[in-house]
Amino acid sequence: MNMIKKLGLPRIIIILFFLSLWVTAGVLKLYLPDYLTDSMIRIGMNLILVLAMVPAIRSGIGLNFALPIGIICGILGGVLAIEFKVVGFEGTALVGLGGFLFALSIAVPLAVVFGWLYGILLNKIKGSEMLVSTYVGFSIVSLFCIAWIILPFTSDEMRWPIGKGLRTVVSLESTFGEFLNKLWAIDLGKVSSSFRGLIIPTALLIFIAFVCLIYLFFSKTRIGIAMKTVGDNPKFATAIGLNVNGYRILGTILSTVLGAVGMVVYAQSFGYLQLYQAPLMMAFPAVAAILIGGATAKKATITHVVIGTILFQGLMTISLPVASTFFLEVAEFDGGNMSEVFRMIVQNGIILYALAQGGGSND
Amino acid sequence: MTNHKLTKKVLRFIIDNSVTLLFAALCIVGIFASQEQPYMLVSLLLERMTRNTFLVLALLIPVVAGMGLNFSITIGAMAAQVAIITVAYLQIHSGVGTIWAFVISTPLALILGKIIGKLLNKTSGQEMIASMITGFFADGIYQLIFLFFAGTIIPMTGDFVLSTGVGLRNTINLMKDDGIGKAIDKAIQVPFFTCLIIFGLFVVFYYLGVMLVRRIKLSAEKEHLMKLLAMIFSAIDVILIVLAVAIVLFKKSIIVKGKFDGMDSILIGIYLFTTLGALLIGYLINKNNKQSPVKNILIIVVGIVLVVYSYQVMYSSNISHDMQMLKTVNLSLLTAIIVVLFAVFNVIILKTKLGQVFKTVGQDKHIAEVSGIKVNKIRELAIMLSTLFAAWGQIIFIQNLGTLNTYGSHKSIALYAVAALLIGGASVSKATIGQAFLGVLLFHTLFIVSPKAGLHLFGDAQIGEFFRQFVSYGVIGVSLGLYAWKTMIIHKKE
């Protein structure tokens, strides 16, 4: 009973759902290794975006719904890598590394600047961060919709053949698409035929583990501890002489930078950059994932990030094939887009639950 | 008044209304840049004003009750769409179908509103973001119902259902087979500029009357007589309105061609005269709203200009072709009347005891609690009413469009309504009917002209479309940000 109270009903439902879907997948004789591979890639693809929530929550600004700011920086990095045709290490196993690093080297400084500006804004609106940040995120995305049309990019890979502006979806195939997915990937099918199709994206997992470790290390440093103090108890922090606003800005910058890095990783896994409206709602799955992992608007750890991403992305990967196969057998219709509806309900349900739990915590 | 004082006053006005003024300027630039035909501009704007204002007005009560901007009006819209789908599926036609849509949506919206209200009470302090997420969550449930339950759990067959037999189609045509499409709009169509002439005359006479009677002092005896007269006038008004409704119901639809025959003009004349009389007597007896004579004269001048201009459009043959086109702009009078009546209803309800309770809760929850108000119940009621009005507003909106986009028509309702209200100069804690109307006018002007303005200024209509999206999000972000900033400063000072 205590356990139920601690986890909260929605999380228990989600965990049960997660387990039952994977079991159902087994019962329906779906080929699980394929979906395990898919899950691993999706977890790797999304984890850093989820991690971006941690510094925001820790420094006291709450769930960062303005993640699209970081995401836009990441996209800019990717777009510029294509524009300047940065690939690097062609002909070696590391092909794409150059493009990947180039994208990061553009995205991170941009994210620092945007995050800093945005942090200053957040210090002026204490108490309404979540709502305002949602609309700041939306505004930035729609502002960049205009930018994608008028910015003077020349690469034929990105421009519409006729008309103005960039395409809605740009392939990263020629630069760093699936670079981390494929690097040092271990095909377990070669070990035993019963694992056929199970591929471990080693480099991707190493990279996200690396980023998580850096963050873990940072949180143990003096600055990291001070930032957490500011988030936990701003009044106490002021009393012991910490610069509350400064640390909040630092948290915002870190969150935005992680958002940018997360986007570059996301794009390379996906193999495409999605421009225009695509980033509009991207903060919500990340917010939902960390909440599913057990975080609240005031408390978040890397464990929450890892558990949450595994649960949420694992759930999303398996719900599509299970729904479509199940409904095809039972009701003879394709339940494929059921998983999208299902995602909406899970994602927004958990956010709503977290908000209701925080009841009146605006002081 | 010294020059210095006046400058200060003007500056104050500009600062207080910066958002609205900025948008007014943007609209003017947009209108010129788009080179839109006056006919298109006026008729599109008129259509958008009649169909969107109701939804914006649905936001007012939660603002007064201190719950901020209710983004969950989307859920009211969903309730309306459930009702519309039901009516269309059962093939209940035009007027009757519309009335049924209102009837069906009402309990549904009230129940949903109650649930949302309870939920928002739990997230006290974060109502707005919670109401937005509630909208997204409900959208998931809504899609679940109509994509997967319809045809399986809910027995539905025929045209509406996808070829697989499960889930509803993306669009439902409400114009076909005498559906509810444009049922309210088509009921009475009147040339817009004729309406403007009448409206302008009404305004001019009212304010002239006000200027005349503002000095009159009444004895108790005479006041009694005046009250009686006002009641007689009001009674005549009511009879005329009932008569008009009866005519509409029997004739099914009236399209007035801009020329009234004798009987019509006499009836309208009587109606205007009695309404004016009743209003002026009301002013005379209450006399609490003392307006400055300068303001009155200004309004009269505007009214005269309106009348003269409208008269030119309607009856002068010596005008350009573009202006001549304006003659054919039609106003959906019944829809307009519903919207105006609803606005008046909002004013009245805020003046009643219930309205006072809303205001008290909105100003300070603790004081309200101490003075014996059940704060949570009142907040729930505010959301219930808002959801209900949103549902009705959505019916008006959809019948005007004539097609229901099953999975999309409700999606941007909250965004556009909130943006419009904020552009009108409202804030999280204060919103008036005037701001709602002004906001809708400015927001939708911008909406109409921005694609063409984008085309002429940048050579791409898409830029204009993205620009108006940016504006919607941006104005909400900026307004909410400014509000949060102000509250923080006030908080600090305490």
Side-chain angles (χ1 to χ4, degrees), chain A residues 52-64:
Chain A
M53 291 298 147
V54 178
I57 295 173
R58 285 236 177 125
S59 63
I61 63 172
L63 300 162
N64 182 11

Side-chain angles (χ1 to χ4, degrees), chain B residues 269-296:
Chain B
I270 294 174
Y271 177 74
L272 291 179
F273 179 74
T274 49
T275 318
L276 255 177
L279 280 175
L280 281 174
I281 292 169
Y283 180 85
L284 183 61
I285 292 169
N286 285 321
K287 244 189 192 173
N288 45 11
N289 46 343
K290 286 217 164 73
Q291 283 143 322
S292 70
V294 180
K295 206 172 171 185
N296 281 348

Side-chain angles (χ1 to χ4, degrees), chain B residues 393-406:
Chain B
Q394 182 75 352
I395 295 174
I396 294 175
F397 180 74
I398 296 292
Q399 64 85 30
N400 173 275
L401 290 181
T403 48
L404 174 68
N405 187 344
T406 319

Side-chain angles (χ1 to χ4, degrees), chain A residues 151-232:
Chain A
L151 286 179
F153 289 108
T154 51
S155 165
D156 287 336
E157 270 181 74
M158 295 193 293
R159 297 190 65 87
W160 289 112
I162 358 164
K164 269 189 156 184
L166 303 184
R167 301 170 199 223
T168 39
V169 179
V170 177
S171 171
L172 285 169
E173 212 183 336
S174 65
T175 47
F176 61 91
E178 300 196 311
F179 155 67
L180 286 175
N181 290 13
K182 284 178 181 157
L183 184 63
W184 305 324
I186 301 170
D187 188 352
L188 288 182
K190 286 174 189 159
V191 182
S192 156
S193 62
S194 59
F195 292 136
R196 195 166 37 80
L198 185 61
I199 301 162
I200 296 177
T202 323
L204 182 65
L205 297 182
I206 290 175
F207 185 80
I208 59 168
F210 175 66
V211 175
C212 286
L213 279 177
I214 293 180
Y215 188 78
L216 205 60
F217 176 72
F218 163 77
S219 64
K220 301 284 180 218
T221 61
R222 218 162 53 94
I223 300 174
I225 293 167
M227 194 175 90
K228 190 162 179 294
T229 317
V230 165
D232 286 343

Side-chain angles (χ1 to χ4, degrees), chain B residues 12-34:
Chain B
R12 188 79 248 161
F13 176 80
I14 291 175
I15 291 168
D16 285 348
N17 300 287
S18 48
V19 174
T20 314
L21 288 172
L22 175 71
F23 274 91
L26 266 178
C27 283
I28 292 167
V29 172
I31 289 170
F32 282 109
S34 71

Side-chain angles (χ1 to χ4, degrees), chain B residues 139-182:
Chain B
D139 194 22
I141 307 274
Y142 176 91
Q143 288 192 25
L144 187 71
I145 293 171
F146 286 116
L147 265 178
F148 302 107
F149 290 176
T152 50
I153 298 173
I154 309 165
M156 287 179 94
T157 47
D159 267 7
F160 277 38
V161 184
L162 290 165
S163 54
T164 53
V166 180
L168 294 192
R169 281 183 190 287
N170 268 328
T171 50
I172 294 172
N173 188 347
L174 301 171
M175 300 299 287
K176 213 172 61 180
D177 306 329
D178 200 17
I180 68 165
K182 302 229 184 253

Side-chain angles (χ1 to χ4, degrees), chain A residues 124 135 164 277 338 359-360, chain B residues 71 122 124 148 458 469 485:
Chain A
K124 305 239 180 270
Y135 279 92
K164 269 189 156 184
Q277 315 260 23
M338 184 98 162
Chain B
F71 286 90
K122 285 194 176 169
S124 193
F148 302 107
F458 303 102
Q469 193 196 4
W485 185 47

Side-chain angles (χ1 to χ4, degrees), chain B residues 86-107:
Chain B
T86 313
V87 166
Y89 187 71
L90 298 176
Q91 295 186 338
I92 310 174
H93 298 312
S94 59
V96 186
T98 316
I99 292 169
W100 271 109
F102 278 104
V103 172
I104 296 169
S105 67
T106 302

